[in-house]
Amino acid sequence: MGSHKPTGISRWLFTTNHKDIGTMYLWFSFIMFLTGGAFALGIRLELFQPGLQFWDPNTFNSLTTMHGLIMVFGAVMPAFVGLANWLIPMQIGAPDMALPRMNNWSFWILPFAFGLLLSSFFLPGGAPNFGWTFYAPLSTKFGPPSTDFFIFGVHLMGISSIMGAINVIVTVFNMRAPGMTLMKMPMFVWTWVITAFLLIMVMPVLAGAVTMMLTDRHFGTSFFDAAGGGDPVMFQHIFWFFGHPEVYIMILPAFGIASHIIPTFSRKPLFGYSSMVYATASIAFLSFIVWAHHMFTVGMPVVGELYFMIATMIIAVPTGVKIFNWVATMWQGSLTFETPMLFALAFVILFTLGGVSGVMLAMTPVDKQYHDTYFVVAHFHYVLFPGAIFGTIAAVYYWLPKWVGNMYNETLGKVHFWLSIIFVNLTFFPMHFSGLAGMQRRVPDYNMMFEDFNRMSSIGALGLGLTQLLFFYIVVQCVRGGTGKATGEVWEGAEGLEFTHLPSPAPYHSFDEAPEVK
């Protein structure tokens, strides 16, 4: 195995090594996670008590917009791409990603995209203030001048995502080790291949939506302007045709991560491998035909409401298959509860809770009551924080010893887990109740009756944010030496090529020649 690696700043600027690029994606993602979290704390600070304390409504809306955009496009998606870069070549026995120069470019686009987005705070009129869904006409007729920076930033993010997805697909289909058939691939690789196809199909839709916004703003078109023969509701259709597959882009890789961690700490193979693959593919397919469940209040025909309601409830079936398989994997296993397993279990339990509130929202008459309330905010945060974020954290705890050759501090890892689980529930669970009682989202002031729930959420958010600084400390300590050297076989019973063929830490160039898969 080769060990030569460049040093200095040029190593990071010009690198084509999948591990270096994966590391940069993960650190960038964590910086964006803290940035988006700071905006969330700004929101919760305002909502700690009724009345306007810190922000005027325009600034408050800018914070909600930037929080959503940065968490989706800057924190969750780059984190998964970073994990894909690190793990996919090692798991399929490839020397590197198939398109290494494009890999470098797809990363270095991102700091400029988010630099554009964040610089909008300093422009006249302030940052975009129309919500992360940027509905027309709020974003076309009434958006501040910084909206154009936002449009260009979204285009850059889309280009980066498409390039990353192409790279994953080409790598997996062309560079698998001899003997590794599709149905022998690790689950993380499967979930990422399916995610990559989703990205390639939906990112151009988003690009079309923001391009039409741009021409509506500056070139006299009326795609979304009813006065010129356009239709603002068409914007919602286009956005959610991107937006609903997007939420599965943000969760499918976490399904793959859980499918590695749970078998390892259950000391059993994954139950129902092929059904997991088919369930993942089914979720991806169904995600394209449920988009208008976000739009039950726009006045669509009853037959349309009925269709989208039933299709949305059907998508719970393959998700239920996956949860059944994880539980069946643990059943009668020899379980131990190291930090990665704790985060994976919290992921399964809390993601299921978010899924149940999603089934509630799928029902049209019910959704018309819940629409645009904090119940919806509670639903998608239960899916995304314990889903995407806990999934990523579990992956870092699980694979970091293999990557750097050192063990993290297990005691601190468990402290991080228990604080995270307490604060995540303290933050988001009360939102169910304030939403059911009628509290609207994206509004900086509220009725006195919601004060207790909001105060609990704000305290929880502050605790949750501070807890992630502990995670930062644990990772840095592990990289710098941790609690001792990790053995070659880090977790007993682990599955996947990245464990069986490589020493710990993983060498700079993983494979000089592809391993044989029996």
Side-chain angles (χ1 to χ4, degrees):
M1 294 182 188
S3 60
H4 168 71
K5 63 180 175 184
T7 55
I9 189 113
S10 62
R11 169 185 170 184
W12 301 102
L13 280 175
F14 305 120
T15 182
T16 53
N17 183 281
H18 70 99
K19 297 186 181 74
D20 282 352
I21 294 170
T23 300
M24 290 196 296
Y25 265 113
L26 288 167
W27 278 115
F28 175 80
S29 152
F30 189 69
I31 291 165
M32 287 292 106
F33 177 56
L34 294 182
T35 307
F39 292 143
L41 286 178
I43 295 164
R44 292 308 329 166
L45 192 65
E46 179 61 60
L47 294 174
F48 187 75
Q49 60 188 45
L52 295 178
Q53 278 77 237
F54 299 99
W55 320 114
D56 61 273
N58 189 55
T59 307
F60 182 86
N61 287 338
S62 292
L63 289 175
T64 58
T65 303
M66 298 296 275
H67 165 69
L69 289 168
I70 283 171
M71 286 303 197
V72 170
F73 294 109
V76 174
M77 290 169 70
F80 284 149
V81 180
L83 292 170
N85 264 291
W86 255 104
L87 297 173
I88 287 175
M90 293 160 73
Q91 289 189 330
I92 65 171
D96 205 307
M97 297 296 276
L99 305 162
R101 290 187 187 277
M102 191 168 88
N103 204 9
N104 174 285
W105 192 34
S106 69
F107 170 76
W108 280 110
I109 285 174
L110 285 180
F112 293 98
F114 285 92
L116 270 175
L117 204 55
L118 290 168
S119 68
S120 63
F121 274 105
F122 306 102
L123 290 177
N129 57 0
F130 33 68
W132 84 273
T133 50
F134 46 97
Y135 280 1
L138 290 176
S139 55
T140 49
K141 272 195 167 181
F142 307 113
S146 61
T147 304
D148 301 324
F149 275 45
F150 155 79
I151 290 169
F152 191 43
V154 168
H155 270 303
L156 290 176
M157 295 170 219
I159 291 166
S160 170
S161 295
I162 289 169
M163 289 198 297
I166 289 170
N167 214 349
V168 167
I169 290 168
V170 175
T171 303
V172 171
F173 282 101
N174 289 336
M175 298 179 71
R176 296 194 306 279
M180 179 172 280
T181 61
L182 286 175
M183 293 313 280
K184 285 184 181 175
M185 290 197 313
M187 273 306 301
F188 180 76
V189 180
W190 257 119
T191 53
W192 237 110
V193 167
I194 292 166
T195 302
F197 277 108
L198 283 177
L199 276 166
I200 287 172
M201 286 188 271
V202 303
M203 293 313 287
V205 178
L206 178 65
V210 294
T211 304
M212 285 189 270
M213 274 174 59
L214 189 71
T215 59
D216 270 16
R217 282 172 61 81
H218 297 295
F219 298 104
T221 58
S222 297
F223 290 112
F224 308 127
D225 184 0
D231 184 359
V233 175
M234 182 175 76
F235 178 89
Q236 296 189 32
H237 280 291
I238 297 168
F239 177 83
W240 287 115
F241 192 77
F242 147 80
H244 199 79
E246 167 66 22
V247 300
Y248 287 99
I249 287 165
M250 290 192 287
I251 201 66
L252 289 183
F255 288 169
I257 291 161
S259 301
H260 283 271
I261 293 173
I262 290 171
T264 296
F265 296 102
S266 302
R267 311 295 187 276
K268 281 175 64 187
L270 180 67
F271 179 88
Y273 170 91
S274 57
S275 66
M276 286 293 246
V277 173
Y278 288 120
T280 309
S282 304
I283 289 168
F285 169 73
L286 290 167
S287 74
F288 278 99
I289 59 171
V290 297
W291 76 89
H293 68 207
H294 299 268
M295 301 167 54
F296 283 145
T297 56
V298 302
M300 69 176 81
V302 172
V303 66
E305 293 181 346
L306 191 63
Y307 161 74
F308 283 107
M309 179 171 78
I310 293 168
T312 304
M313 286 195 267
I314 289 171
I315 210 167
V317 175
T319 313
V321 168
K322 298 178 86 70
I323 290 162
F324 174 84
N325 284 10
W326 289 324
V327 173
T329 303
M330 290 183 277
W331 183 254
Q332 294 189 329
S334 179
L335 271 69
T336 53
F337 299 100
E338 286 84 355
T339 308
M341 183 63 160
L342 290 173
F343 274 103
L345 287 174
F347 158 74
V348 173
I349 294 164
L350 296 181
F351 177 82
T352 304
L353 181 66
V356 169
S357 62
V359 173
M360 293 168 68
L361 287 163
M363 296 174 212
T364 311
V366 179
D367 181 81
K368 286 179 178 176
Q369 293 295 313
Y370 300 160
H371 191 80
D372 262 345
T373 68
Y374 262 82
F375 189 85
V376 179
V377 179
H379 156 67
F380 67 72
H381 280 90
Y382 261 96
V383 173
L384 285 175
F385 204 108
I389 305 290
F390 275 18
T392 304
I393 292 171
V396 171
Y397 278 120
Y398 184 63
W399 277 294
L400 188 65
K402 190 70 188 181
W403 296 342
V404 301
N406 306 318
M407 276 306 293
Y408 61 86
N409 187 315
E410 183 68 44
T411 305
L412 283 181
K414 286 181 174 165
V415 170
H416 173 226
F417 167 75
W418 286 110
L419 288 174
S420 292
I421 202 85
I422 290 164
F423 286 128
V424 97
N425 284 295
L426 183 60
T427 305
F428 300 118
F429 202 76
M431 292 181 185
H432 291 100
F433 302 119
S434 50
L436 289 173
M439 181 174 166
Q440 286 186 300
R441 60 196 280 211
R442 298 181 182 171
V443 178
D445 192 8
Y446 56 86
N447 191 295
M448 289 285 291
M449 65 185 279
F450 304 122
E451 183 172 12
D452 290 345
F453 290 137
N454 276 288
R455 191 156 286 187
M456 290 162 68
S457 288
S458 293
I459 293 167
L462 179 62
L464 189 58
L466 293 175
T467 301
Q468 304 324 309
L469 298 177
L470 174 62
F471 178 52
F472 172 74
Y473 172 78
I474 294 166
V475 170
V476 170
Q477 186 196 43
C478 180
V479 172
R480 296 179 66 179
T483 57
K485 291 295 176 191
T487 57
E489 196 61 53
V490 181
W491 304 112
E492 182 191 345
E495 296 180 333
L497 273 181
E498 79 281 6
F499 287 103
T500 51
H501 285 78
L502 291 173
S504 183
Y508 191 69
H509 297 287
S510 303
F511 302 105
D512 284 343
E513 52 188 64
E516 187 81 28
V517 178
K518 296 288 186 279

